[in-house]
Amino acid sequence: PIGLSSLTYLILCGAAAYLRNITLRPNLIKDCVFFLITLLIINSLLFLTLEFIFGYEINYFDQIINIIYTFLLYFLFSNLFDLFENYFVGRNNAR
């Protein structure tokens, strides 16, 4: 249904923003564990909504693969953004 995936994305962004506000020292491992738990909860709510309210049949294997790839891409993009931040922030501070 239209808007359901965007709603789950907004909930995930809100949870990430909440975690960022309450942590004093960002840690990739703690962020990853929180992200995985949040991702599992949000996808569970999405599955329940799709199956029980809309009667949509879900292929669980595809959903598990989707969750695994999303979780692994979190590591990749987190490290990539850290490199960008260190490069650009370090470059601006040197001037």
Side-chain angles (χ1 to χ4, degrees), residues 46 48 80:
L46 176 68
L48 289 173
L80 184 67

Side-chain angles (χ1 to χ4, degrees), residues 46-87:
L46 176 68
F47 300 153
L48 289 173
T49 304
L50 285 174
E51 192 164 318
F52 292 121
I53 295 177
F54 295 106
Y56 185 77
E57 288 194 29
I58 298 170
N59 185 350
Y60 293 107
F61 181 73
D62 289 342
Q63 296 302 325
I64 290 171
I65 296 298
N66 185 6
I67 290 170
I68 290 170
Y69 279 125
T70 303
F71 184 67
L72 292 176
L73 285 175
Y74 178 79
F75 280 116
L76 175 73
F77 283 110
S78 176
N79 290 327
L80 184 67
F81 289 141
D82 283 342
L83 286 173
F84 283 145
E85 182 182 22
N86 291 335
Y87 178 74

